[in-house]
Amino acid sequence: MTPPILPLLLAALLSASKSEIPPSQWDCANDVEVWCAVDGCAARPEEETTPMSVSAGRDGRFSVCAYTGCWEGETEVVETAGRLLWVADGVGFSSQPEGGFEADITLLILEKDGVGFVRAGGIASPLLCARRPVDNDLDRENGTGGQG
């Protein structure tokens, strides 16, 4: 005899909408650039803003791109109350100038609102973020099971 709770759980899982599926990957960008140091923070004028491209996954991998390269790494993702947090120290820059260009990275994304915050080196900027399923998610949705 099947315990009565199992059919109820199965029905709830099968009726969940795709929008309730936790995002596997996030893509973010900044509208403004803010620099922070011990003496305070300041926004750069729009014509001097450095566009950033940030991507991060629940698997812990992240990429924070600005200028001519990216800080890329992997860390454990902390999930709490609809917030995702990536923290990594001494992350190397992909196009390192001589002497290095490492940065401590802090990335926070509020899942419900699709907004976030990134701190990389001296940059401390708000982000607008969107969910992007990874290839395996798309394969499951399309019924291809990873075959194309």
Side-chain angles (χ1 to χ4, degrees):
M1 181 173 174
T2 305
I5 193 73
L6 288 177
L8 290 174
L9 286 173
L10 183 58
L13 286 172
L14 292 175
S15 66
S17 74
K18 289 183 181 180
S19 65
E20 295 169 348
I21 298 170
S24 299
Q25 184 77 22
W26 287 93
D27 290 326
C28 308
N30 63 325
D31 276 348
V32 296
E33 179 180 348
V34 179
W35 280 83
C36 293
V38 175
D39 56 346
C41 297
R44 290 222 171 161
E46 186 177 340
E47 65 276 2
E48 295 177 21
T49 296
T50 302
M52 295 182 71
S53 172
V54 177
S55 65
R58 287 185 180 273
D59 61 1
R61 290 185 282 186
F62 64 88
S63 176
V64 177
C65 301
Y67 308 110
T68 60
C70 302
W71 291 280
E72 296 175 321
E74 189 170 348
T75 188
E76 187 173 327
V77 178
V78 176
E79 297 184 46
T80 184
R83 295 171 185 93
L84 301 172
L85 177 67
W86 293 256
V87 177
D89 293 335
V91 178
F93 198 65
S94 61
S95 58
Q96 278 188 346
E98 192 166 320
F101 193 36
E102 291 184 346
D104 296 341
I105 305 294
T106 302
L107 172 62
L108 171 68
I109 297 175
L110 297 130
E111 293 183 285
K112 179 182 172 192
D113 300 324
V115 297
F117 168 82
V118 66
R119 173 83 158 99
I123 300 172
S125 289
L127 301 168
L128 296 176
C129 302
R131 174 189 175 195
R132 177 176 51 92
V134 293
D135 291 341
N136 289 341
D137 292 343
L138 292 173
D139 292 339
R140 278 194 297 276
E141 290 174 9
N142 294 330
T144 60
Q147 303 300 316

